[in-house]
Amino acid sequence: AEERDEEDNRFVLAYVILQPGANPAKVRASMIRKLSSAGIQPVGMPREFCFLDSFPMTVNQKVDKKRLPSYQEIRARNSLDHP
């Protein structure tokens, strides 16, 4: 998803579902390596990763993009988790 930070800069935010017991830091590094080797340009690389237990779904079983957490919600949650 494309998001904007506090200075109104655009960036890519990746939403990721982790396998039980997976280490988010290792998953993040692995994903960046895979995207790099696939030829994704730096501008298309996710700057932030949001790890979710599951994607919010619509009644038609499609990802409900409106219910995905925003960058600001993620930052607020992370600042509460890591004071």
Side-chain angles (χ1 to χ4, degrees):
E2 183 180 290
E3 288 280 339
R4 292 187 179 269
D5 62 16
E6 293 81 13
E7 288 97 36
D8 205 34
N9 298 313
R10 296 183 334 184
F11 67 93
V12 176
L13 170 64
Y15 294 95
V16 180
I17 306 299
L18 287 178
Q19 298 278 336
N23 178 330
K26 287 184 180 180
V27 170
R28 185 179 197 280
S30 172
M31 289 183 72
I32 290 172
R33 279 194 304 274
K34 286 179 184 176
L35 291 171
S36 294
S37 67
I40 302 295
Q41 298 296 315
V43 71
M45 293 292 256
R47 188 178 89 185
E48 299 286 338
F49 288 80
C50 177
F51 296 101
L52 303 170
D53 293 327
S54 63
F55 286 118
M57 305 301 279
T58 66
V59 293
N60 295 326
Q61 295 305 306
K62 296 181 180 181
V63 174
D64 189 345
K65 296 176 187 173
K66 294 177 185 173
R67 291 181 39 219
L68 287 169
S70 70
Y71 174 67
Q72 290 76 17
E73 292 170 329
I74 295 164
R75 297 255 326 191
R77 182 176 62 193
N78 288 344
S79 68
L80 293 174
D81 291 343
H82 307 290

